[in-house]
């Protein structure tokens, strides 16, 4: 039971169901920092792009000037949603306000928003929410509730650097953060996720100021970063995949495709498509979700290297998505050749064997599996031609073609007969 919400275990399972099945989402970090794109006064500022104001100690008034150059005329929310959908992502989480305090929506409690402070002058969230709804994409808002470097009283990790930031944090929460979250929960229809971040100086009392707002969105799912000891619905490992997952909990790994969340013009350290697909598989095999980031430019474009990778992931997902969606963690640990995911349906248990290292001798050994196998086939085979299966000492041996169907991850499906029976893992 989620302690921030009075509900039964059954109600919680119902609320979490779509999220648990979705497995894969798009994170979007977008804001005024995209104008700077990692450069301040001609100098490349190290670190993550959306932190540039903090890192370069940019005064508030000066930082706000950059909003005049935030004019995303090429923004096409429908295209973003279709790209996410093609990639196989089932939800989108966008920064409605990051630590710089800039709101991507029309906020009545501040002028530091896209409507009042930029030449673009229009709410950016509304058309994205609408496009998402049109295409069956779930939508969530990231909201930085504690750190706010442009509104007086907002916290800053390590402290403030400009007098204009000083003020009463409780007043900031009461007059900015809480009303803005109320706006987000009132003006955009049903919202699926609220993604809090960095609970710097968030006491229990401060965190509790946000809780009544959650009743405005009875089906919302929230992460574990509100603060004040409030656990939320899911854990949020950032930029790393936990070795053993987080058994018994819901969790989501958020990760960048290069080394920054907010756009940086000169960050070219892109992960390969192979790494991204194998990360998704690795996470699914441990029972988690993958929230993969894009950082659009100030013009409103998702960088081309991200687009290319998402298209390639989509190509893989169009064949292999079944082995990801609605799966749960591997019952056989981490086999030597790759990963395993599991799906329970009315007609029994399926294991998806994700083979990263294809056996050159055509013999794929599935360790620890003691159940009989009803059928084995390549997920990429439209005819589902049966592969030979033998029970062997180690578990089950499947005869597979000599050539891997997919160089990144080929999937062999095992339909288990009756109950799943697995030998316990060997110690050490
Ligand atoms: O939104 C993304 C990050 O901006 C945010 N979480 C993800 C989803 C995040 N905020 N803080 N952190 C992550 C932790 C990292 C802090 C660092 Fe720093 C920022 C390390 C270097 C710059 C603060 C300033 C700590 C050291 C210097």
């Amino acid at each position: 039971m989620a302690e921030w919400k009075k509900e039964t275990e059954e109600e919680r399972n119902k609320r979490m169901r779509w999220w648990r099945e979705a497995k894969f989402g798009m994170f979007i970090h977008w804001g005024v920092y995209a104008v700077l794109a990692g450069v301040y006064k001609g100098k490349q500022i190290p670190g993550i792009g959306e932190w540039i104001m903090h890192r370069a100690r940019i005064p508030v008034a000066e930082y706000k000037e950059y909003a005049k150059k935030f004019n995303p005329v090429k923004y096409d929310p429908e295209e973003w949603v279709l790209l996410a959908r093609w990639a196989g992502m089932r939800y989108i989480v966008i920064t409605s306000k990051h630590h710089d305090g800039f709101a991507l929506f029309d906020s009545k409690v501040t002028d530091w928003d896209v409507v009042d402070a930029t030449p673009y002058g229009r709410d950016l969230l509304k058309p994205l929410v609408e496009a998402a709804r049109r295409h069956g994409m779930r939508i969530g808002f990231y909201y930085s509730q504690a750190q706010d470097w442009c509104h007086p009283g907002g916290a800053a990790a390590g402290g403030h650097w400009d007098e204009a930031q000083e003020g009463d944090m409780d007043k900031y929460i009461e007059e900015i953060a809480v009303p803005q979250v109320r706006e987000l929960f009132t003006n955009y229809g049903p919202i699926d996720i609220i993604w809090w971040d960095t609970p710097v100086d968030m006491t229990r009392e401060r965190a509790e100021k946000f809780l009544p707002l959650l009743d405005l969105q009875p089906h919302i799912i929230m992460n574990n970063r509100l603060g004040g000891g409030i656990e939320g619905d899911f854990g949020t490992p950032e930029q790393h995949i936990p070795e053993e997952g987080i058994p018994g909990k819901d969790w989501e790994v958020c990760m960048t495709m290069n080394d920054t969340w907010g756009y940086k013009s000169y960050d070219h350290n892109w992960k390969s498509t192979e790494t991204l697909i194998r990360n998704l598989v690795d996470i699914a095999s441990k029972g988690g979700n993958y929230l993969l980031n894009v950082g659009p430019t100030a013009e409103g474009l998702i960088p081309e290297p991200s687009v290319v990778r998402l298209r390639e992931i989509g190509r893989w997902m169009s064949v292999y998505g079944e082995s990801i969606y609605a799966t749960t963690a591997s019952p056989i640990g981490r086999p030597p050749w790759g990963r395993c995911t599991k799906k329970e349906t009315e007609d029994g248990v399926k294991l998806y064997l994700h083979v990263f290292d294809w056996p050159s001798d055509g013999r794929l050994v599935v360790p620890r599996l003691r159940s009989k196998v009803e059928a084995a086939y390549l997920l990429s085979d439209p005819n589902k031609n049966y592969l030979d299966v033998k029970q062997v000492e180690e578990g089950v041996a499947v005869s597979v073609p000599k050539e891997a169907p997919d160089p990144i991850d080929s999937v062999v499906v095992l339909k288990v007969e009756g109950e799943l029976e697995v030998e316990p893992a060997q110690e050490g």
Side-chain angles (χ1 to χ4, degrees):
M1 192 168 112
E3 26 85 35
W4 60 275
K5 213 174 158 80
K6 299 238 178 329
E7 63 184 353
T8 63
E9 190 64 35
E10 196 187 344
E11 285 165 337
R12 175 176 150 76
N13 288 338
K14 210 169 144 205
R15 187 166 57 82
M16 294 299 291
R17 184 175 171 158
W18 75 262
W19 187 92
R20 288 173 179 161
E21 293 183 351
K23 305 310 287 185
F24 192 25
M26 174 184 274
F27 216 168
I28 303 177
H29 275 72
W30 200 25
V32 167
Y33 40 81
V35 173
L36 291 100
V39 181
Y40 175 57
K41 292 191 169 162
K43 271 210 199 96
Q44 294 190 351
I45 307 299
I48 40 186
E50 71 283 4
W51 273 75
I52 194 167
M53 180 185 181
H54 187 288
R55 190 78 191 238
R57 297 275 185 273
I58 304 174
V60 172
E62 206 184 304
Y63 186 78
K64 285 188 172 176
E65 284 296 307
Y66 288 100
K68 295 180 178 154
K69 292 192 196 146
F70 185 78
N71 193 18
V73 292
K74 295 187 178 163
Y75 176 43
D76 184 344
E78 177 120 22
E79 204 174 293
W80 290 9
V81 170
L82 291 176
L83 177 64
R85 200 168 89 143
W86 167 256
M89 294 160 151
R90 294 278 169 91
Y91 59 105
I92 292 175
V93 178
I94 184 167
T95 51
S96 65
K97 183 198 89 165
H98 204 267
H99 309 332
D100 65 358
F102 175 76
L104 270 65
F105 57 101
D106 183 12
S107 175
K108 302 301 180 201
V109 297
T110 181
D111 287 341
W112 185 223
D113 70 0
V114 64
V115 175
D116 299 314
T118 78
Y120 191 75
R122 277 170 285 156
D123 190 307
L124 294 167
L125 300 185
K126 202 152 250 172
L128 183 67
V129 171
E130 286 166 2
R133 291 280 169 237
R134 271 200 300 283
H135 295 289
M137 181 71 65
R138 298 278 184 161
I139 187 85
F141 293 147
Y142 168 109
Y143 186 86
S144 176
Q145 77 282 12
Q147 293 203 65
D148 189 317
W149 309 327
C150 283
H151 290 106
H160 293 140
W161 57 92
D162 182 338
E163 271 180 9
Q165 298 168 320
E166 277 160 33
D168 179 354
M169 185 164 174
D170 294 300
K171 195 163 175 256
Y172 153 77
I173 286 175
E174 234 155 83
E175 293 178 6
I176 300 293
V178 164
Q180 283 195 330
V181 174
R182 187 178 297 114
E183 290 175 326
L184 290 170
F185 286 177
T186 307
N187 298 339
Y188 301 87
I191 297 305
D192 299 300
I193 298 168
I194 178 75
W195 217 102
W196 313 106
D197 203 6
T198 59
V200 177
D201 296 334
M202 283 297 279
T203 58
R204 181 85 193 186
E205 196 191 347
R206 286 169 177 162
E208 279 177 354
K209 294 258 157 67
F210 294 90
L211 294 183
L213 298 173
L214 293 157
D215 294 336
L216 295 167
Q217 295 283 344
H219 300 291
I220 206 161
I221 291 171
M222 79 166 185
N223 74 353
N224 65 345
R225 298 191 182 185
L226 178 57
I230 293 159
E231 224 181 286
D233 293 310
F234 62 93
T236 50
E238 181 164 327
Q239 297 286 39
H240 73 96
I241 303 172
E243 214 35 47
E244 307 293 336
I246 311 181
K249 299 251 157 137
D250 293 294
W251 54 282
E252 170 192 75
V253 171
C254 57
M255 199 182 277
T256 52
M257 276 199 222
N258 52 359
D259 292 326
T260 184
W261 304 89
Y263 178 67
K264 280 178 89 171
S265 58
Y266 53 92
D267 181 340
H268 305 301
N269 192 25
W270 299 96
K271 295 174 183 73
S272 66
T273 300
E274 174 179 283
T275 297
L276 296 171
I277 289 174
R278 289 185 176 180
N279 281 347
L280 173 62
V281 171
D282 186 25
I283 291 165
S285 79
K286 296 168 179 172
N289 281 15
Y290 197 24
L291 187 64
L292 184 58
N293 184 71
V294 298
T297 67
E299 273 192 304
L301 295 177
I302 295 177
E304 196 54 26
S306 298
V307 173
V308 167
R309 282 158 181 76
L310 290 170
R311 291 212 178 111
E312 289 171 352
I313 294 170
R315 206 157 52 205
W316 184 86
M317 286 293 273
S318 68
V319 177
Y320 294 105
E322 183 196 318
S323 69
I324 300 292
Y325 301 124
T327 61
T328 53
S330 168
I332 55 165
R334 199 176 317 172
W337 33 257
R339 299 290 184 274
C340 174
T341 54
K342 174 181 137 182
K343 196 178 295 190
E344 280 172 84
T345 61
E346 276 115 55
D347 52 67
V349 178
K350 275 181 185 164
L351 296 184
Y352 297 98
L353 314 175
H354 295 265
V355 188
F356 298 167
D357 301 311
W358 195 257
S360 51
D361 62 357
R363 187 173 180 269
L364 184 75
V365 176
V366 187
R368 296 170 51 194
L369 184 60
R370 289 293 164 230
S371 316
K372 277 212 175 127
V373 174
E374 197 178 295
Y377 55 90
L378 299 171
L379 189 49
S380 53
D381 176 2
N383 302 319
K384 300 188 178 175
N385 282 326
Y386 279 15
L387 303 171
D388 249 12
V389 178
K390 263 204 237 58
Q391 295 202 248
V392 294
E393 184 168 336
E394 307 99 295
V396 164
V398 189
S399 297
V400 295
K402 289 266 151 71
E403 284 283 310
D406 190 285
I408 293 177
D409 174 24
S410 310
V411 177
V412 176
V413 186
L414 296 187
K415 273 197 81 182
V416 169
E417 205 179 289
E419 296 280 293
L420 182 67
E421 268 178 68
V422 169
E423 231 164 70
Q426 300 290 312
E427 290 291 312

